[in-house]
Amino acid sequence: MYSRLSQLARHFSRPLPNFAHRSAAAYPANLSSRMTSSSNGEAMSVPRKRMIHTAGCIIIGDEVLGGKTVDTNSAYFAKFCFSLGIQLKRIEVIADDEEEIIEAARRMSKNYDLVVTSGGIGPTHDDITYQSIAKAFNLPLELHETTVAKMQKFSRPHKSQPNFDWNTPSPALTAKLRMAQLPTHPDIPDEEQVLYVKEDLWVPISVVNGNIHILPGVPRLFEALLEGIKPRILPLLKDPEGRGTYRMLFSTPLAESAVAEYLTSLAAKVEPRGVKVGSYPRWGKKRNVVTLVGTDRDYMDSLEREVAEGVQGKRVQMEGEDDTDDETDVKKDKDA
């Protein structure tokens, strides 16, 4: 069956572009432990695993930039990172454009320990994420037969394709096989660069350059697959138990300008301990919010009384929990 599918893919897919056009010298040395050669003799880097402290997210899709689709995946990823204590440093939304995808993938992979992409891996002409990221790291696209087998087992032809047959060449088959042509490094074990995290789902997570995880844009799939890679991520965290980042909230009746001086001194005091201080006005309410965010829980808890006194307020578990009914129609100008 696999050989038959490979023949179909070669017959119906247009020739793949030459992805091996950039030398390995262009890539950061700290991402690889050794080099190998591509089919045309040029060098390809073999990435090494590294501890995960930082993350980046690339949302790919003209429909997001054009306002047709609202991106929720980056917000989900932000909460995912926060829950594990990973510092999410950057979220970018880019077009379905090869050069933009190549540039963003290279830069993000170099700058951050964990990178996820969302979108651009469907069956149509504008789904170019796989081929663009392959090109970014000098990798070929190859038909991944395990993915094809899973696709056959778990996907069902659309009702508009009643005569679809996996063994009969057709435009629909060609389109489906595009979703199984993955960036492939010849010297990395298959199980490290193609992940299946749900037994009843054929969609793979393609891992490129050791830290880029290519995910679909459909929120339901994105969320399920992201949660599925958590066991892979946990051993690489500073805190392998994944207890996450700690956030303390304080409710204050004072205007931001009234607490600015105190918060400036507080921020300088706690910054060496990895704690960040934030201030957030709440329009139309009598109380504003001050936050402390970090990972040193014991130290942060020890500051509770001091901060409460400094902002003349109190610690709360969630924003607005001490609001009262008479605040609903309050007209409050921002005191900046």
Side-chain angles (χ1 to χ4, degrees), residues 218-253:
V218 178
R220 179 178 61 86
L221 294 177
F222 179 92
E223 294 169 12
L225 296 182
L226 184 62
E227 294 296 335
I229 63 174
K230 187 179 292 185
R232 173 185 171 93
I233 292 174
L234 287 177
L236 300 176
L237 299 180
K238 179 180 179 181
D239 176 7
E241 295 183 7
R243 287 175 292 188
T245 308
Y246 191 44
R247 179 186 283 125
M248 298 174 67
L249 283 76
F250 293 85
S251 173
T252 173

Side-chain angles (χ1 to χ4, degrees), residues 69-224:
T69 300
V70 176
D71 166 50
T72 60
N73 291 341
S74 60
Y76 193 92
F77 184 61
K79 294 176 182 178
F80 176 84
C81 290
F82 191 91
S83 71
L84 295 179
I86 302 171
Q87 297 181 51
L88 178 58
K89 292 291 190 177
R90 182 174 293 272
I91 296 172
E92 293 187 7
V93 182
I94 64 176
D96 292 301
D97 178 88
E98 182 179 272
E99 291 303 318
E100 290 195 28
I101 296 172
I102 289 173
E103 188 280 327
R106 287 174 176 164
R107 173 169 42 82
M108 289 269 205
S109 183
K110 175 183 176 181
N111 292 340
Y112 309 118
D113 304 319
L114 171 68
V115 179
V116 301
T117 73
S118 165
I121 59 174
T124 58
H125 71 284
D126 57 343
D127 292 310
I128 60 172
T129 297
Y130 282 147
Q131 69 187 56
S132 299
I133 294 180
K135 188 171 183 178
F137 297 100
N138 191 31
L139 299 174
L141 283 180
E142 293 184 0
L143 185 71
H144 194 259
E145 294 180 342
T146 301
T147 297
V148 175
K150 287 180 174 290
M151 190 187 302
Q152 281 188 289
K153 181 177 180 180
F154 295 115
S155 68
R156 297 289 179 269
H158 191 269
K159 62 181 180 180
S160 65
Q161 301 170 319
N163 298 319
F164 176 81
D165 185 350
W166 284 98
N167 295 310
T168 302
S170 67
L173 177 58
T174 299
K176 288 180 182 294
L177 292 180
R178 288 188 79 240
M179 296 186 287
Q181 291 179 337
L182 308 180
T184 304
H185 198 297
D187 290 344
I188 297 178
D190 188 67
E191 63 271 15
E192 292 185 15
Q193 54 183 328
V194 183
L195 310 179
Y196 304 99
V197 298
K198 290 183 68 67
E199 292 184 357
D200 60 346
L201 188 63
W202 70 264
V203 182
I205 300 174
S206 177
V207 182
V208 178
N209 209 40
N211 64 349
I212 296 180
H213 296 69
I214 305 175
L215 302 180
V218 178
R220 179 178 61 86
L221 294 177
F222 179 92
E223 294 169 12

